[in-house]
Amino acid sequence: MCAKNSFLTSLGVEIYATGHRRWPDEVKARVVADTLEPGATVNAVADRYGVQPNQLSAWRRMAKQGKLVLPAIAPGEPVFAPLVVCDPSPAVRSCDGCPADERITIIIDEVRLELAADTPAVRLAEIVRALGAAGC
């Protein structure tokens, strides 16, 4: 247990003689971020840091509510960009500057969907939402 205490102290966790610990928000955020790694489980991460899984789940709820700010994603890792959809005016080029006769292509994993450039924004949003619900 001495090694784990030394490890936690190196992260900035204050450990009192009674056994209580004071976890700085930055350390909580780092632990929560570890649970979001592919293949990670709350139980495994909780065990690694010596915290109860229910406490770690509470920290995850705090992060979802915006009460705990997670560390930024390291440069070079993929990030998600917001999808912006708008309807082009009849005599105007489409939103991305492409001619209106070009196609809109949506690719999610192995699903490739090509639509006319004048497809209404509402329909595009419905399609993207349906693909997301289907787990694509």
Side-chain angles (χ1 to χ4, degrees), residues 28-49:
K28 291 178 188 177
R30 178 177 170 183
V31 175
V32 169
D34 284 357
T35 67
L36 303 176
E37 292 294 322
T41 64
V42 170
N43 286 339
V45 174
D47 185 52
R48 184 178 332 137
Y49 287 95

Side-chain angles (χ1 to χ4, degrees), residues 88 90 92-94 96-104 115-119:
V92 181
R93 298 163 74 89
S94 65
D96 60 0
C98 298
D101 61 339
E102 288 190 13
R103 311 216 26 103
I104 296 172
L115 304 164
D118 61 351
T119 302

Side-chain angles (χ1 to χ4, degrees), residues 25-115:
D25 286 344
E26 298 80 26
V27 178
K28 291 178 188 177
R30 178 177 170 183
V31 175
V32 169
D34 284 357
T35 67
L36 303 176
E37 292 294 322
T41 64
V42 170
N43 286 339
V45 174
D47 185 52
R48 184 178 332 137
Y49 287 95
V51 65
Q52 294 294 317
N54 61 340
Q55 182 64 58
L56 181 49
S57 294
W59 294 346
R60 287 170 50 104
R61 276 191 299 281
M62 288 173 58
K64 286 179 184 176
Q65 295 168 351
K67 297 176 182 175
L68 188 65
V69 180
L70 299 183
I73 297 173
E77 292 185 23
V79 295
F80 291 98
L83 173 64
V84 179
V85 183
C86 62
D87 286 322
S89 301
V92 181
R93 298 163 74 89
S94 65
C95 303
D96 60 0
C98 298
D101 61 339
E102 288 190 13
R103 311 216 26 103
I104 296 172
T105 304
I106 300 173
I107 302 172
I108 301 177
D109 293 327
E110 295 183 16
V111 175
R112 179 185 177 99
L113 189 62
E114 292 190 10
L115 304 164

